[in-house]
């Protein structure tokens, strides 16, 4: 993919899905995220890039409150999903996570059948009343994750028996099965080979039609390929946030430029 | 290469060493490795040897003890005893019949005699034959020839015994006279003894004594005394007389002692429950007295005092031999061991209620410790905040796992006394429930530790995945973490239960055995949780202290074998469950 195509890419609507204002994250005494302000738009892929340990994953996990499970972690600031503060006392993180799905770095299917992996979310959220409805959700999710053709004949086989790329797509199917509005992906391709990576990237581009996707990646090529907007994190700071093509061709901050050209990181 | 330029010229490379040649360092490393390997092999061998010795000593004693000599007796329920008034038979009437004179002597002994007679055994003749054979042997070895002919031609052994006694007395008198100073009296006494021997039929011995009389006259008293002592006639006659006196001495009790008749109470109960038996016969396998086991198995030969089973004489042994030859005594598998209750008497002791009691306690342990153990672990591992308090609890659970079991017994006893103070201590003393609770307390830390380890081993990615699709903490734990931890939890639980199964000390303290009485130990356990129970380890403990060597070194091992098999079964179950539930991710 070359820069020409990047420029031609349509940058989506201006609907703000998630807006973070002055977000601070602490692990005990460590200040991991410093004053990050970012707007994530709907129907668009936003990439977080930056060197290891810069806080991009931490920030991603703030967006669906997965950091709640870490006891020493403390989040300050204001993160809103559709204008509602997700750290409000009235918000149940369980409900939030149904709306903000997540795909992890390492494929982590449940040690259950492929069908049960996908059906688990809809089941616990009561999205299907009958078996037929559940079947339909499973099929739709697997189709959406481009796994249906490979998996339709082996739905009752364990999900752990799939190949790495298939497992990751299964995890994506599992995430979309609950009907989320935002999909968070934490380095979803780092454990995959180039072919599986290409499949997942293609999938991400399709998912953009329905969801707002946030992806953390180490690969700048990947960010350039799949995202419309890119945020560059460095040492807990959001250094630069903007249209992907601009970040990669004409960054404003010298640190961004150094990272992209491979001089830091 | 900057370093090289600083230090000047590069060092010349080390002299070329062939790969085929081991350097000293490699040599040393090899030696160390080999030493470690041999030490490991030695340790394993030692362990295997110990295990082999243990298993051999248990199985070589315990397995034979599972077979028992039994007498098959045709018991005749004599109406003359059970229904002495000749009218309608009633249960009250039978319960009124004395156990000793009625059932033991009237029914058991008579039935036994009848069984032997039916098998063609002449009871009195067998006993007499044994003793006469003994007397003949004694006479022969004392040099008194012709003994068997004399005994056979005699009218009655008792009369003969008297004659032998007189001859013996005469010899003793002669012996006394030879110790004195008067040669004439000595010669006279010897002549009298010679005559007494001749009267009893021992011609050769009489001649021998007569020649000693001649010696006394010619060579002096001392030489004669030595010659007389050398013959051994006197002791032989007395011993033969003693044996002959026994030949006529058969009593019913001698026969009855061979079998174990103490279950006369059972027989009475059986007749009370089934009055139709009166006047009828039934075949019964009755255990043989435990003291005879070693004789029947050939361990004791029955010859000489040291080889005689305690409490028996050769007349009885002859009867036992006759019964065995007639097929009345047989060696059967001892099924009753698994159903009978514990008894001091090895012939009828069993582990039935103990097995039941242990099974019930295991059930209580399973319910209590699995429920509370798993609940506590899930809370501590998944939900509890990590602070000083939970740290403190954690350390104490680890400490509890190392507390000696007897301490838990003391705790149980304390509970017992507290309840006793409230007035219902006696109702819970020695029950399966109390035993189970005490064992649960003991097992709980083991299960908590195993469960927490199993929960910890579940990869965090699974938790993330579940939380990521919007499962709550509780759903995450119960839908995903717990099923994955199940094999570990089950293994820990079964190991804990196996440990509890073998625990003796705490049970002794809360009254699941011993001194509290025969009533408790002989009561069958029917399965009430609030019923006085027995347990396997305490019964092993009691059997191993039995006064009877056959029980100590046989039945105790048999009970241990049963326990071992139970433990093997439990461990096998643990492995199977593990295999069945184990999942990979």
């Amino acid at each position: 993919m070359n820069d020409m195509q990047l420029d031609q890419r349509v940058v989506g609507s201006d609907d703000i899905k998630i807006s973070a204002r002055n977000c601070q994250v602490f692990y005990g005494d460590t200040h991991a995220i410093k004053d990050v302000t970012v707007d994530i738009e709907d129907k668009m892929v936003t990439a977080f890039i930056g060197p290891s340990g810069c806080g991009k994953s931490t920030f991603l996990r703030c967006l669906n409150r997965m950091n709640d499970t870490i006891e020493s972690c403390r989040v300050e600031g204001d993160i809103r999903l559709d204008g509602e503060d997700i750290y409000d006392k009235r918000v149940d993180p369980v409900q939030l996570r149904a709306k903000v799905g997540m795909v992890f770095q390492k494929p982590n299917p449940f040690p259950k059948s492929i069908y049960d992996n996908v059906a688990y979310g809809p089941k616990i959220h009561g999205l299907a009343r009958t078996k037929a409805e559940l079947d339909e959700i499973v099929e739709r999710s697997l189709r959406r994750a481009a796994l249906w053709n490979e998996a339709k004949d082996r739905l009752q086989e364990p999900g752990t028996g799939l190949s790495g790329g298939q497992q990751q797509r299964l995890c994506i199917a599992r995430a979309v099965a609950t009907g989320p509005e935002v999909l968070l992906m934490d380095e979803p391709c780092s454990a995959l080979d180039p072919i599986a990576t290409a499949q997942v990237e293609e999938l991400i581009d399709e998912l953009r039609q329905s969801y707002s996707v946030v992806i953390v990646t180490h690969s700048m090529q990947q960010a350039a390929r799949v995202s419309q907007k890119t945020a560059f994190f460095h040492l807990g700071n959001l250094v630069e946030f903007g249209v992907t093509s601009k970040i990669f061709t004409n960054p404003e901050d010298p640190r961004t430029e150094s990272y992209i050209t491979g001089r830091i990181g | 290469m900057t370093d090289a330029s600083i230090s000047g010229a590069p060092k010349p490379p080390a002299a070329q060493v062939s790969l085929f040649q081991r350097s000293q360092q490699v040599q040393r490393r090899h030696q160390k490795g080999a030493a470690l390997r041999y030490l490991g092999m030695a340790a394993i061998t030692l362990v295997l040897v110990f295990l082999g010795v243990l298993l051999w000593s248990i199985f070589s004693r315990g397995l034979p003890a599972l077979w028992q000599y039994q007498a098959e007796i045709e018991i005749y329920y004599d109406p003359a005893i059970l229904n002495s008034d000749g009218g309608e038979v009633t249960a009250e009437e039978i319960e009124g019949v004395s156990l000793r004179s009625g059932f033991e002597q009237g029914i058991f002994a008579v039935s036994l005699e009848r069984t032997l007679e039916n098998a063609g055994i002449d009871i009195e003749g067998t006993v007499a034959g044994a003793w006469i054979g003994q007397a003949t042997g004694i006479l022969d070895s004392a040099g008194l020839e012709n003994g068997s002919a004399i005994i056979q031609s005699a009218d009655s052994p008792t009369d003969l015994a008297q004659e032998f006694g007189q001859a013996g007395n005469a010899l003793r008198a002669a012996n006394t006279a030879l110790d004195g100073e008067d040669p004439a009296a000595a010669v006279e006494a010897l002549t009298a003894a010679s005559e007494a021997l001749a009267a009893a039929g021992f011609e050769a011995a009489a001649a021998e004594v007569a020649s000693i009389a001649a010696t006394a006259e010619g060579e002096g008293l001392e030489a004669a005394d030595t010659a007389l002592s050398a013959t051994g006639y006197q002791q032989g006659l007395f011993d033969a007389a003693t044996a002959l006196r026994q030949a006529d001495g058969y009593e019913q009790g001698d026969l009855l002692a061979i079998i174990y008749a103490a279950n006369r109470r059972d027989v009475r109960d059986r007749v009370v429950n089934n009055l139709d038996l009166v006047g009828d016969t039934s075949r019964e396998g009755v255990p043989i007295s435990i003291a005879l086991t070693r004789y029947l198995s050939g361990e004791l030969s029955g010859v000489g005092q040291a080889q005689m089973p305690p409490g028996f004489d050769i007349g009885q042994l002859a009867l036992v031999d006759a019964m065995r030859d007639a097929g009345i005594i047989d060696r059967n598998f001892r099924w009753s061991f698994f159903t009978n209750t514990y008894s001091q008497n090895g012939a009828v002791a069993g582990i039935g209620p103990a097995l039941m009691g242990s099974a019930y306690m295991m059930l209580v342990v399973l319910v209590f410790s699995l429920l509370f153990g798993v609940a506590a672990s899930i809370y501590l591992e998944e939900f509890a905040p990590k602070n000083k308090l939970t740290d403190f609890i954690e350390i104490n659970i680890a400490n509890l796992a190392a507390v000696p079991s007897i301490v838990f017994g003391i705790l149980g006893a304390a509970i017992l006394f507290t309840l006793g103070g409230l007035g219902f201590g006696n109702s819970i003393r020695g029950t399966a429930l109390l035993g189970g609770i005490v064992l649960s307390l003991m097992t709980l830390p083991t299960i908590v530790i195993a469960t927490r380890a199993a929960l910890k081993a579940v990869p965090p990615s699974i938790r993330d995945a579940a939380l990521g699709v919007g499962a709550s903490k509780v759903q995450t734990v119960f839908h995903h973490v717990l099923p994955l931890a199940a094999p570990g939890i089950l293994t820990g639980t079964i190991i804990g239960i196996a440990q509890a199964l073998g625990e003796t000390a705490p049970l002794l303290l809360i009254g699941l055995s011993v001194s509290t009485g025969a009533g408790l130990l002989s009561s069958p356990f029917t399965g009430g949780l609030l019923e006085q129970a027995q347990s396997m380890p305490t019964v092993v403990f009691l059997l191993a202290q039995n006064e009877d060597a056959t029980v100590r070194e046989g039945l105790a091992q048999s009970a241990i074998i049963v326990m071992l098999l139970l433990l093997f079964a439990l461990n096998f179950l643990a492995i199977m469950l593990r295999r069945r539930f184990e999942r990979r991710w």
Side-chain angles (χ1 to χ4, degrees):
Chain A
M1 238 175 250
N2 56 39
D3 293 347
M4 281 287 284
Q5 280 171 306
L6 279 176
D7 282 335
Q8 284 161 356
R9 199 175 282 170
V10 182
V11 173
S13 62
D14 278 343
D15 295 343
I16 306 291
K17 194 68 188 170
I18 298 177
S19 75
R21 292 282 169 273
N22 307 101
C23 185
Q24 321 270 355
V25 179
F26 303 86
Y27 288 120
D29 292 334
T30 316
H31 198 169
I33 297 286
K34 295 162 191 160
D35 212 21
V36 168
T37 297
V38 73
D39 285 326
I40 288 158
E41 287 168 47
D42 202 7
K43 311 269 190 270
M44 201 176 271
V45 179
T46 307
F48 290 175
I49 59 170
S52 292
C54 68
K56 52 194 190 305
S57 286
T58 301
F59 183 66
L60 189 77
R61 292 169 73 94
C62 288
L63 300 182
N64 71 343
R65 291 183 60 175
M66 281 295 276
N67 280 338
D68 288 13
T69 56
I70 301 165
E71 216 159 308
S72 61
C73 180
R74 194 154 47 84
V75 180
E76 283 173 13
D78 187 53
I79 301 176
R80 288 175 184 276
L81 175 70
D82 292 330
E84 290 172 333
D85 183 1
I86 63 170
Y87 280 91
D88 193 280
K89 275 194 189 113
R90 288 165 294 178
V91 173
D92 183 356
V94 169
Q95 237 170 328
L96 171 71
R97 286 179 204 139
K99 275 181 138 183
V100 184
M102 189 154 186
V103 177
F104 298 85
Q105 183 173 1
K106 211 179 130 226
N108 57 353
F110 299 131
K112 298 179 174 192
S113 71
I114 294 173
Y115 183 94
D116 287 341
N117 260 288
V118 182
Y120 179 70
K123 258 190 220 162
I124 60 170
H125 292 296
L127 297 180
R129 269 162 300 165
T130 63
K131 178 82 171 67
E133 274 182 36
L134 195 60
D135 288 348
E136 199 198 312
I137 292 176
V138 169
E139 183 177 342
R140 200 171 56 220
S141 309
L142 284 171
R143 276 187 195 286
R144 189 155 276 180
L147 194 60
W148 177 250
N149 287 332
E150 290 152 76
K152 65 182 173 199
D153 297 326
R154 42 193 292 203
L155 288 178
Q156 294 311 321
E157 283 173 38
T160 42
L162 296 169
S163 74
Q166 287 172 329
Q167 285 191 16
Q168 195 60 298
R169 278 181 281 148
L170 178 62
C171 293
I172 293 173
R174 184 176 65 191
V176 299
T178 53
E181 295 161 19
V182 181
L183 212 49
L184 307 178
M185 297 186 164
D186 191 355
E187 300 182 38
C189 300
S190 65
L192 304 183
D193 69 11
I195 296 167
T197 304
Q199 286 172 324
V200 171
E201 282 178 7
E202 211 172 300
L203 179 60
I204 292 169
D205 206 44
E206 279 166 34
L207 293 172
R208 183 166 68 95
Q209 312 300 326
S210 336
Y211 312 101
S212 164
V213 180
V214 184
I215 177 169
V216 166
T217 177
H218 267 298
S219 155
M220 283 171 284
Q221 287 82 353
Q222 185 173 55
R225 282 195 298 266
V226 301
S227 69
Q228 284 74 49
K229 286 213 160 178
T230 297
F232 172 61
F233 285 79
H234 188 243
L235 301 175
N237 295 302
L238 177 63
V239 175
E240 192 167 348
F241 177 54
V243 176
T244 302
S245 55
K246 186 171 179 299
I247 295 264
F248 278 94
T249 52
N250 188 18
E252 279 169 14
D253 196 289
R255 284 173 292 177
T256 316
E257 194 186 351
S258 313
Y259 181 68
I260 288 167
T261 52
R263 264 177 286 150
I264 59 164
Chain B
M1 277 290 127
T2 44
D3 288 353
S5 59
I6 289 168
S7 61
K11 279 184 185 170
Q16 202 98 51
V17 178
S18 163
L19 269 180
F20 298 129
Q21 206 175 351
R22 283 184 178 177
S23 75
Q24 262 193 337
Q25 195 199 346
V26 171
Q27 200 89 33
R28 266 203 304 277
R29 235 188 298 172
H30 273 280
Q31 279 167 0
K32 272 185 190 167
L36 199 65
R37 223 171 27 248
Y38 289 130
L39 270 176
M41 270 150 66
I44 292 280
T45 316
L46 201 65
V47 168
L48 285 180
V49 165
F50 279 134
L51 185 69
V53 167
L54 173 80
L55 288 181
W56 183 80
S57 79
I58 287 175
F59 278 85
S60 66
R61 291 167 176 182
L63 278 183
L66 283 175
W67 274 264
Q68 186 184 35
Y69 292 97
Q70 291 181 335
E72 188 132 333
I73 301 174
E74 221 164 278
I75 292 186
Y76 174 54
Y77 300 95
D78 193 350
I81 292 168
L82 297 177
N83 187 17
S84 46
D85 57 6
E88 185 80 2
V89 186
T90 62
E92 290 79 36
E93 198 179 349
I94 289 167
E95 274 169 358
V97 175
S98 142
L99 280 175
R100 184 155 189 84
S101 66
F103 277 91
E104 190 173 320
Q105 289 163 7
I107 297 208
F108 264 104
V110 170
S111 299
L112 191 57
E113 281 181 340
R114 187 192 292 252
T115 308
L116 261 64
E117 277 157 15
N118 287 347
I121 298 171
D122 171 14
I123 299 173
E124 291 185 17
T126 306
V127 173
W131 287 112
I132 287 170
Q134 168 114 340
T136 312
I138 292 169
L139 292 175
D140 277 351
S141 62
L144 292 158
E145 290 151 32
N146 222 10
S148 65
I150 294 168
I151 292 170
Q152 262 159 38
S153 60
D155 292 337
S156 111
T158 322
D159 293 345
L160 196 59
Q162 202 158 355
E163 266 181 59
F164 285 3
Q166 281 164 1
N169 282 334
L171 279 169
R172 183 159 58 194
N175 211 356
T176 317
L178 283 174
D179 287 340
E181 300 291 324
D182 187 355
V187 171
E188 192 182 328
L190 279 168
T191 314
S194 172
E195 278 163 11
L197 279 170
F202 298 108
E203 301 292 349
E208 175 75 25
V209 173
S211 79
I212 292 172
T215 313
E217 275 181 326
E219 297 173 33
L221 294 183
E222 215 156 301
D225 193 15
T226 314
L228 187 62
S229 300
T231 61
Y233 292 153
Q234 181 190 328
Q235 196 57 43
L237 282 168
F238 281 139
D239 287 348
T242 312
L244 284 175
R245 260 181 231 115
Q246 303 266 10
D248 264 351
Y250 166 73
E251 282 169 13
Q252 217 175 33
D254 297 343
L255 186 58
L256 201 57
I258 293 174
I259 61 165
Y260 177 80
N263 54 353
R264 55 207 175 170
R265 197 183 294 272
D266 298 344
V267 173
R268 181 170 74 177
D269 291 346
R270 199 180 312 147
V271 183
V272 168
N273 289 330
N274 184 6
L275 294 173
D276 291 340
L277 280 175
V278 174
D280 212 344
T281 57
S282 72
R283 272 194 168 287
E284 298 280 334
V286 181
I288 299 291
S289 170
I290 191 91
L292 283 169
T293 308
R294 291 169 73 201
Y295 172 69
L296 283 163
S297 67
E299 207 180 312
L300 292 178
S301 67
V303 179
Q305 200 59 45
Q307 292 285 307
M308 198 61 81
F312 289 87
D313 60 32
I314 62 161
Q316 286 168 304
L317 293 189
L319 282 174
V320 170
D321 286 339
M323 283 164 82
R324 180 155 58 174
D325 293 342
I328 295 172
I329 291 181
D330 223 346
R331 193 156 178 257
N332 294 323
F333 190 75
R334 189 171 175 168
W335 294 109
S336 62
F337 184 63
F338 300 96
T339 50
N340 279 3
T341 160
Y342 171 78
S343 156
Q344 286 272 333
N345 191 308
V348 287
I351 56 169
L355 264 178
M356 287 270 285
S358 271
Y360 266 76
M361 276 185 270
M362 292 310 102
L363 218 61
V364 174
V365 171
L366 189 69
V367 171
F368 269 85
S369 57
L370 193 60
L371 218 61
F372 288 111
V374 171
S377 326
I378 289 178
Y379 177 73
L380 281 175
E381 197 59 41
E382 304 284 341
F383 296 105
K386 301 273 172 289
N387 56 27
K388 291 237 166 78
L389 182 68
T390 46
D391 279 353
F392 180 73
I393 291 172
E394 209 164 304
I395 290 167
N396 277 299
I397 287 174
N399 282 344
L400 269 186
V403 167
S405 58
I406 190 131
V407 175
F408 287 101
I410 301 254
L411 177 67
I415 297 174
L416 195 67
F417 290 137
T418 314
L419 290 178
L422 296 174
F424 49 96
N426 268 336
S427 64
I428 196 168
R429 182 190 176 89
T431 59
L433 184 66
L434 183 64
I437 289 175
V438 169
L439 292 180
S440 301
L441 289 177
M442 215 194 72
T443 318
L444 206 53
T446 315
I447 291 186
V448 169
I449 289 170
T451 305
R452 293 193 64 182
L455 289 174
K456 262 200 196 107
V458 174
S461 67
I462 294 294
R463 288 169 225 262
D464 279 349
L467 290 173
V469 295
S472 68
K473 187 92 199 183
V474 174
Q475 283 171 328
T476 304
V477 169
F478 282 91
H479 293 173
H480 300 286
V481 177
L482 206 52
L484 289 177
I489 295 173
L490 284 173
T491 312
T493 306
I494 288 174
I495 287 172
I497 285 186
Q499 197 187 343
L501 177 67
E503 209 52 73
T504 322
L507 299 182
L508 292 178
L509 276 180
I510 52 171
L512 262 99
S513 101
V514 280
S515 51
T516 42
L520 159 61
L521 283 168
S522 60
S523 71
F525 180 70
T526 55
L529 280 179
L530 281 173
E531 190 185 332
Q532 306 256 297
Q534 300 173 31
S535 77
M536 284 301 294
T538 48
V539 164
V540 169
F541 176 74
L542 291 178
L543 285 173
Q545 314 190 65
N546 195 290
E547 54 186 7
D548 211 326
T550 325
V551 178
R552 269 201 317 268
E553 285 164 16
L555 282 185
Q557 274 75 7
S558 304
I560 290 173
I561 289 176
V562 174
M563 269 176 81
L564 278 181
L565 289 181
L566 277 178
L567 291 183
F568 287 154
L570 277 177
N571 282 346
F572 184 70
L573 187 70
I575 292 168
M576 290 308 291
L577 286 174
R578 218 195 159 90
R579 290 259 166 88
R580 170 81 185 70
F581 286 112
E582 202 158 54
R583 287 198 174 116
R584 298 180 194 291
W585 49 80

